[in-house]
Amino acid sequence: METNAIRIALIGDYDPQVTAHQAIPVALGMAAEHSGRDIQFQWLATDHINADTPLDDFDGFWCVPASPYRDMDGALRAIRFAREQQRPFLGTCGGFQHAVLEFARNVLGWKDAEHGETSPDATRALLTPLTCSLVEAVDSIHLVEGSLIAKAYENAEICEGYRCRYGVNPEFERELLKQQLHAVGHDSAGGLRAVELKDHPFFVATLFQPERAALKGILPPLVRALIEACARQKS
């Protein structure tokens, strides 16, 4: 195995029919060309992520769209590893939802936090249906200046696409964002669309799907930023 290669774990259950899954290898290929680095990636099926999975082999983690995952606990295990071991992490769409859920359970101690898609009757459904479903929708997003995501885009106003039906339950949003998890992106109606973790080299999650830009020949800024964060940690 080449020590100079950057190894990215793709947390999720690969489906060739999913647009985002088609885009992700293209985006990583573009990032490799841009950076001049050897970028290797491996899909980690959620139902194969357990205590024996060698997560330490990876430089960065990307929790990808298309949930519910086959095994939520597997996805949460890998996200927790990235968070606790300070490995660069990107979560998009379903990855955003599960990054928030992992933080709520393991940092805030909300053991009863659930995803409304799989546990709609839960007392603490942290992710609930969006007021307006964002399936194949495009919207503007305002980013917090100085945030990692704003630096990646080099802009505080961006426009991105979604394929999403669930977001953070407004009932729990204030408490969720009281500690290290910060809101860094809101849509035109003020809905929470991006978060970052303080005191972590790179932990960014977005409800939108930035990877889709790769299918139009554009290197997604957040994918470039993820690879740059991995390179910094290896140097």
Side-chain angles (χ1 to χ4, degrees):
M1 189 186 300
E2 292 181 50
T3 53
N4 287 333
I6 289 175
R7 298 201 71 216
I8 303 294
L10 301 177
I11 307 159
D13 307 312
Y14 177 68
D15 180 347
Q17 301 303 313
V18 173
T19 303
H21 292 190
Q22 297 166 13
I24 286 166
V26 179
L28 290 170
M30 294 176 79
E33 191 174 340
H34 175 81
S35 65
R37 290 180 171 270
D38 177 18
I39 297 173
Q40 301 171 1
F41 63 89
Q42 181 179 334
W43 292 87
L44 294 186
T46 58
D47 52 354
H48 290 166
I49 301 171
N50 53 50
D52 298 322
T53 305
L55 297 175
D56 202 46
D57 289 352
F58 296 98
D59 302 302
F61 292 80
W62 183 349
C63 192
V64 306
S67 61
Y69 302 126
R70 290 202 291 263
D71 186 338
M72 179 189 285
D73 290 339
L76 296 180
R77 177 186 289 274
I79 295 168
R80 182 172 189 171
F81 178 88
R83 179 179 56 78
E84 292 183 341
Q85 300 302 316
Q86 301 275 295
R87 299 292 169 91
F89 172 86
L90 176 62
T92 55
C93 197
F96 167 97
Q97 297 162 11
H98 289 76
V100 164
L101 185 59
E102 189 281 325
F103 179 84
R105 286 186 180 181
N106 298 319
V107 178
L108 300 182
W110 297 357
K111 299 302 180 187
D112 59 344
E114 293 287 354
H115 195 308
E117 190 169 26
T118 47
S119 302
D121 300 324
T123 314
R124 200 194 295 261
L126 185 58
L127 289 309
T128 46
L130 295 163
T131 314
C132 180
S133 176
L134 293 170
V135 176
E136 300 305 327
V138 175
D139 197 6
S140 60
I141 297 133
H142 177 73
L143 305 176
V144 172
E145 295 204 28
S147 60
L148 290 171
I149 183 171
K151 288 175 182 173
Y153 278 90
E154 299 180 340
N155 207 328
E157 297 289 340
I158 62 172
C159 195
E160 285 286 5
Y162 299 83
R163 185 178 175 81
C164 187
R165 292 184 177 86
Y166 285 79
V168 171
N169 184 342
E171 186 182 340
F172 302 115
E173 188 174 317
R174 185 183 293 273
E175 287 297 312
L176 176 74
L177 300 170
K178 262 188 171 178
Q179 297 189 31
Q180 303 100 311
L181 198 66
H182 290 185
V184 291
H186 292 88
D187 71 1
S188 56
L192 179 63
R193 299 294 178 255
V195 294
E196 289 178 7
L197 199 57
K198 193 181 173 188
D199 301 324
H200 191 287
F202 188 91
F203 193 104
V204 180
T206 70
L207 201 58
F208 53 87
Q209 297 185 355
E211 56 269 41
R212 286 175 167 235
L215 297 178
K216 298 175 183 173
I218 300 165
L219 170 59
L222 277 176
V223 179
R224 186 192 70 233
L226 172 69
I227 297 306
E228 288 172 352
C230 293
R232 281 195 299 273
Q233 288 215 316
K234 284 178 75 76
S235 61

